[in-house]
Amino acid sequence: QLQLAESGGGSVQAGGSLRLSCLASGRTLDRLGLGWFRQAPGKDREFVATIDWNTGNRKYSDSVKGRFTISRDSAKNTLYLQMNSLNSEDTAVYYCAASPNYLSDYDPSYFDWGQGTQVTVSS
């Protein structure tokens, strides 16, 4: 069974950067899509970015395109999210998740979720 564990969250001022990590264990990540989602207080969870683990192809939400970069290190079984030019609207709990579908931005297609890591951006 796949287990995902996020880390790297914290507090940062607007304009700053953070890098989130998601360590995967328990099964191979071949033929999976790995994604980042986030949930702000009082809002639904929303798609941020996803990557095809095998090919490295990526997809981003419009709200983070050009500021965030999703990447993976296959040797370390780790997914990353580099977040630059952060603003207060990026404040949320960030989750990584796995899907059998490639480049999916559809929340229900993801079957395994981490526990989340808090990102707080102050202005």
Side-chain angles (χ1 to χ4, degrees):
Q1 182 176 352
L2 181 64
Q3 294 181 326
L4 302 171
E6 304 93 338
S7 62
S11 297
V12 64
Q13 289 191 331
S17 299
L18 280 175
R19 188 176 81 156
L20 306 183
S21 300
C22 174
L23 176 63
S25 61
R27 59 157 285 181
T28 178
L29 298 178
D30 286 346
R31 293 189 288 273
L32 290 179
L34 273 289
W36 288 99
F37 288 75
R38 67 186 182 186
Q39 187 167 22
K43 295 187 177 181
D44 292 335
R45 189 164 58 195
E46 66 171 354
F47 166 76
V48 174
T50 185
I51 188 167
D52 179 330
W53 194 262
N54 285 358
T55 67
N57 290 334
R58 305 175 177 102
K59 181 178 180 179
Y60 297 93
S61 69
D62 289 342
S63 62
V64 307
K65 198 175 297 181
R67 300 187 299 123
F68 291 11
T69 302
I70 188 171
S71 62
R72 90 277 195 229
D73 185 330
S74 299
K76 296 181 179 179
N77 255 24
T78 301
L79 176 73
Y80 300 102
L81 185 68
Q82 177 66 44
M83 307 185 295
N84 298 328
S85 301
L86 286 161
N87 59 60
S88 58
E89 294 184 351
D90 297 315
T91 294
V93 177
Y94 283 71
Y95 300 90
C96 63
S99 171
N101 301 323
Y102 300 133
L103 300 181
S104 174
D105 58 7
Y106 185 53
D107 188 312
S109 75
Y110 286 79
F111 64 90
D112 262 322
W113 294 82
Q115 82 288 352
T117 186
Q118 175 71 47
V119 172
T120 302
V121 184
S122 58
S123 55

